[in-house]
Amino acid sequence: MSVGYDAGSFDVIVIGAGHAGCEAALAAARMGCSTLLLTINLDAVAFMPCNPSVGGPAKGHVVREIDALGGEMGKNTDKTHIQMRMLNTGKGPAVHALRAQADKFAYQHEMKKTIENTPNLLLRQGMVDELIVNNGVCEGVVTQTGARYRAKAVVLTTGTYLRGKIILGDLQYESGPNNMRPSVKLALNLKELGFEMVRFKTGTPPRVHKGSIDFSKMEIQPGDPVPRAFSYETTEFIMDQLPCWLTYTNEETHELINGNLHRAPMYSGVIEGTGPRYCPSIEDKVVRFSDKPRHQVFLEPEGRNTEEMYVQGMSTSLPEDVQLSMLRSMAGMEKVEMMRPGYAIEYDALVPTQLWPTLETKLIEGLFTAGQINGTSGYEEAAGQGLMAGINAARKVQGKPPVILRRDQAYIGVLIDDLVTKGTNEPYRLLTSRAEYRLLLRHDNADLRLTDIGYEIGLISKERYARFCEKRERIAREKERIENTRVRPDNPEVQAVLREAGTPELTEVTSLDQLLRRPELTYAHIQRIAPAPEPIPEDVAEQVEIQIKYDGYIRKSLQQVERMKKVEERKIPADIDYHQITGMSKEAREKMSKIRPLNIGQASRISGVNPADISVLMVYLEQYHRVLANTAE
């Protein structure tokens, strides 16, 4: 390393400008902290090394939550997407999910422009080699060139760069994604500081030339014809959308894969890292689901001004020649030209149980981590963590209490609680099934759940908050009108609407909310039966319909939340010595000593801790508080 020099002091330093780093740096700067964002390569800000898509089940919910809190991912996607679709519309509102195909290059450029034009935020190129740590407190970073930057808080968002290694058939070389430089010295520095690390793996499929594809043999996948947006602030919508295309693997594809498994790094023992179960490679899918005659493969444009197309569903690390043969075995791809081969990438990640729910590390004060370094997969999971790490780093610098989202408040809360409480033995992917209160955590109500918090911490403007409050009041007024308006069976116009909708006619006086609960009726029917005195915006109408239609289920979920809150509110003192608690299993004592849960609720979610252990802990805490009270007297 060259001779060190003092390069400046900041409130917050963010290392890495991927999706976690961008959100962390923007949040800290917008909250008034002087912020430095360091990245290995300025041309890779908000880079999408894998699928240039944003959203989908659970992930789309997270993007909406990021926006409701004042983050950037939703706004940036709305400005740069090439296609947007609402998924699962045939199912209930809890699983409706927005998904966008982003323009990979426009997304990067727009995010970089936003960062460059944000007050209090300096974007700079630099490879961080080590952290400056004194007496268990992180005080800054040192770069490869010897620049020493001081800070009151540091946020690590290094993605898959820590000791990154690309694997393609027999070929292996140290690299970050897409042949960028890996971060080796920082990975070793984290181990020297005492962090427990794991080795994970992810992968990406080949990219192909659009002009070499015969789309007439594929199924078109257009975007939705109606305007869609992730951000509650978006008013201009992109309607000029590009289609995606669907084809399938077949018997020939599967024979090629099975015949070359001896050349597949994940089966030949070359790959050490654990891969994501919910996003397997094509060779893994063919082996694990050998009874399936075919698998879906989507051809998705990487942008408006490129001929490159992403082959979703074909993630692989098989040799290049096998990849080309596999691609050409599928309908519409017989003459396809491969522009980039797929590859696997191994990288170091932190064991996330070493974090507090604020995403600050337990080992070193003032050091926060977010994104794939915490063992997650996906841009959205990274951005959600980055936002919370940036918020909490800024709050720490400002001497304010941290922001911790509960499991009943947000999917981001579920994600972080799962990571810091349960840990993960594979790259973690957020799923709707991971949330026990998913009827409360809907795509449509992220603003109602989180905008108050965003405004309180300074990430939501007064103008936006005023509009939000007006929307909330209009929902309440319209719900009240519907609940208090009754219609009579002697009204022929009402009966005609009911007959047309295929629902039984009225036999007695009935309130509008009782009618709206009928499966056949929508808010539009209610408006025909008894129109509102004022125009009702679409987003208000949507909330009124969902809140009334699903009222019974929502009430049950809220009752569960209230019961759980009593448990969550029972704090556990930080100085508890779990090894002194007799009657608790040895595994529970070890796990609780390591994770140091903040409350009974978190303790109950630790894997290996059973209800009997929790009962013993609660008895012990009662005795503990009694002794404290007696001592105080």
Side-chain angles (χ1 to χ4, degrees):
M1 185 182 289
S2 58
V3 177
Y5 71 97
D6 182 8
S9 295
F10 298 84
D11 291 326
V12 177
I13 293 174
V14 179
I15 304 170
H19 305 282
C22 290
E23 294 292 349
L26 285 168
R30 287 166 174 170
M31 290 168 71
C33 292
S34 61
T35 306
L36 172 67
L37 176 56
L38 285 168
T39 177
I40 291 173
N41 185 350
L42 278 183
D43 299 326
V45 171
F47 180 59
M48 292 179 160
C50 204
N51 192 353
S53 75
V54 173
K59 293 167 175 280
H61 295 64
V62 167
V63 180
R64 292 280 272 188
E65 291 172 358
I66 290 167
D67 184 73
L69 288 164
E72 197 64 28
M73 180 175 254
K75 293 188 190 74
N76 205 56
T77 304
D78 291 348
K79 287 188 274 189
T80 61
H81 70 271
I82 55 179
Q83 188 192 101
M84 204 172 275
R85 298 174 74 186
M86 185 69 80
L87 308 180
N88 300 329
T89 51
K91 299 177 182 176
V95 291
H96 289 180
L98 195 57
R99 181 186 186 273
Q101 195 68 22
D103 184 313
K104 177 177 184 170
F105 310 101
Y107 187 96
Q108 280 184 266
H109 294 153
E110 192 62 38
M111 186 66 86
K112 184 167 182 268
K113 187 167 88 174
T114 300
I115 287 166
E116 288 171 340
N117 288 289
T118 297
N120 302 321
L121 179 52
L122 174 63
L123 174 64
R124 188 169 285 178
Q125 186 164 294
M127 166 83 81
V128 172
D129 277 354
E130 68 179 87
L131 304 175
I132 300 170
V133 179
N134 287 310
N135 301 317
V137 178
C138 189
E139 297 178 350
V141 303
V142 183
T143 69
Q144 188 179 46
T145 59
R148 300 174 73 85
Y149 296 99
R150 297 282 172 179
K152 297 166 189 170
V154 172
V155 185
L156 266 183
T157 67
T158 50
T160 59
Y161 284 80
L162 291 181
R163 284 203 315 127
K165 182 204 282 185
I166 281 182
I167 301 166
L168 172 54
D170 298 327
L171 177 67
Q172 296 181 48
Y173 56 95
E174 286 191 345
S175 175
N178 208 37
N179 291 332
M180 281 187 264
R181 294 171 65 202
S183 178
V184 177
K185 287 189 177 176
L186 182 58
L188 299 175
N189 181 231
L190 289 171
K191 284 188 178 177
E192 285 166 10
L193 289 168
F195 285 104
E196 188 184 346
M197 312 290 283
V198 286
R199 195 81 172 147
F200 279 167
K201 174 207 86 102
T202 187
T204 192
R207 271 60 159 187
V208 296
H209 195 289
K210 184 179 179 180
S212 64
I213 300 168
D214 182 356
F215 293 112
S216 68
K217 296 181 180 178
M218 298 182 179
E219 299 169 35
I220 192 167
Q221 306 284 301
D224 285 350
V226 297
R228 302 276 191 204
F230 278 109
S231 176
Y232 291 92
E233 290 195 278
T234 296
T235 54
E236 294 181 16
F237 301 89
I238 296 171
M239 297 309 295
D240 172 25
Q241 302 187 77
L242 301 183
C244 297
W245 303 86
L246 173 62
T247 187
Y248 296 88
T249 62
N250 53 46
E251 195 176 322
E252 184 187 347
T253 320
H254 296 190
E255 282 175 6
L256 276 164
I257 292 167
N258 285 319
N260 284 282
L261 285 178
H262 62 288
R263 300 177 69 194
M266 67 177 298
Y267 288 98
S268 63
V270 170
I271 289 178
E272 303 164 30
T274 307
R277 184 187 323 185
Y278 300 103
C279 188
S281 65
I282 187 63
E283 50 265 41
D284 203 19
K285 278 194 273 192
V286 167
V287 170
R288 279 166 53 188
F289 307 107
S290 55
D291 56 320
K292 286 202 169 188
R294 65 180 193 171
H295 296 282
Q296 288 185 328
V297 175
F298 291 92
L299 277 294
E300 300 172 331
E302 294 239 308
R304 290 186 186 276
N305 301 307
T306 177
E307 292 298 294
E308 256 187 288
M309 295 199 82
Y310 182 91
V311 189
Q312 190 198 328
M314 290 290 284
S315 179
T316 182
S317 56
L318 279 161
E320 201 169 324
D321 58 308
V322 181
Q323 291 189 34
L324 184 59
S325 299
M326 282 159 45
L327 291 169
R328 289 182 173 174
S329 70
M330 291 182 284
M333 308 252 279
E334 294 85 355
K335 296 180 180 177
V336 79
E337 291 297 343
M338 184 167 69
M339 296 178 75
R340 307 186 203 211
Y343 60 84
I345 182 166
E346 281 189 348
Y347 56 96
D348 286 351
L350 223 66
V351 173
T353 50
Q354 297 169 102
L355 306 173
W356 296 114
T358 58
L359 296 180
E360 185 177 18
T361 65
K362 295 171 182 174
L363 187 63
I364 296 174
E365 189 182 343
L367 177 65
F368 296 76
T369 62
Q372 282 183 278
I373 188 176
N374 289 346
T376 56
S377 65
Y379 309 141
E380 304 85 354
E381 289 93 335
Q385 292 172 71
L387 178 64
M388 298 314 297
I391 288 169
N392 284 323
R395 300 276 288 184
K396 187 177 183 75
V397 168
Q398 293 164 349
K400 296 175 181 175
V403 177
I404 299 172
L405 299 178
R406 301 188 309 270
R407 296 180 73 91
D408 62 280
Q409 280 182 305
Y411 270 96
I412 296 173
V414 173
L415 162 68
I416 293 174
D417 183 66
D418 277 355
L419 289 173
V420 305
T421 305
K422 301 173 184 175
T424 184
N425 53 13
E426 63 184 48
Y428 176 102
R429 181 178 181 176
L430 196 58
L431 308 164
T432 53
S433 58
R434 297 193 193 271
E436 57 270 56
Y437 307 115
R438 58 183 174 273
L439 188 55
L440 301 179
L441 308 182
R442 302 186 310 275
H443 170 274
D444 60 82
N445 70 350
D447 59 337
L448 297 172
R449 292 185 273 119
L450 299 170
T451 305
D452 284 323
I453 297 172
Y455 178 66
E456 186 188 327
I457 61 179
L459 290 178
I460 297 289
S461 69
K462 285 182 180 176
E463 295 77 18
R464 178 174 174 180
Y465 190 63
R467 289 195 302 272
F468 163 72
C469 290
E470 185 186 347
K471 173 186 171 179
R472 187 161 55 186
E473 286 161 15
R474 291 182 84 164
I475 293 166
R477 281 202 307 271
E478 182 60 0
K479 276 181 70 182
E480 187 179 7
R481 180 188 80 87
I482 286 177
E483 286 160 2
N484 294 330
T485 303
R486 284 165 174 70
V487 287
R488 300 171 60 83
D490 57 2
N491 186 326
E493 287 154 0
V494 171
Q495 301 290 36
V497 171
L498 298 181
R499 276 197 307 276
E500 187 188 317
T503 192
E505 293 181 30
L506 295 184
T507 56
E508 58 186 9
V509 175
T510 305
S511 63
L512 291 181
D513 65 310
Q514 285 176 292
L515 284 178
L516 187 49
R517 287 192 182 96
R518 293 187 182 185
E520 303 88 358
L521 297 181
T522 65
Y523 180 78
H525 291 115
I526 300 303
Q527 279 286 61
R528 286 174 61 194
I529 290 167
E534 58 179 349
I536 301 296
E538 197 176 318
D539 56 346
V540 172
E542 179 185 42
Q543 281 310 306
V544 170
E545 179 167 342
I546 289 171
Q547 289 182 28
I548 290 176
K549 243 188 207 310
Y550 296 92
D551 180 59
Y553 299 106
I554 291 170
R555 280 177 194 268
K556 280 184 183 174
S557 292
L558 290 170
Q559 285 166 3
Q560 284 180 310
V561 170
E562 284 308 310
R563 283 197 297 273
M564 197 62 201
K565 263 187 191 169
K566 290 172 186 170
V567 181
E568 298 282 352
E569 284 163 6
R570 298 195 65 172
K571 306 294 182 195
I572 300 174
D575 59 352
I576 288 285
D577 182 356
Y578 292 99
H579 294 291
Q580 298 299 315
I581 307 177
T582 54
M584 190 185 280
S585 70
K586 185 182 177 186
E587 183 183 5
R589 290 200 299 268
E590 287 174 357
K591 290 276 182 75
M592 289 199 201
S593 297
K594 183 180 177 183
I595 292 169
R596 288 146 68 195
L598 300 179
N599 54 57
I600 296 291
Q602 190 188 358
S604 68
R605 292 189 292 273
I606 298 171
S607 57
V609 173
N610 58 49
D613 297 317
I614 296 299
S615 298
V616 171
L617 175 60
M618 288 171 78
V619 170
Y620 178 84
L621 288 177
E622 280 177 24
Q623 293 170 345
Y624 175 92
H625 289 304
R626 204 176 298 133
V627 169
L628 272 186
N630 291 338
T631 307
E633 288 171 11

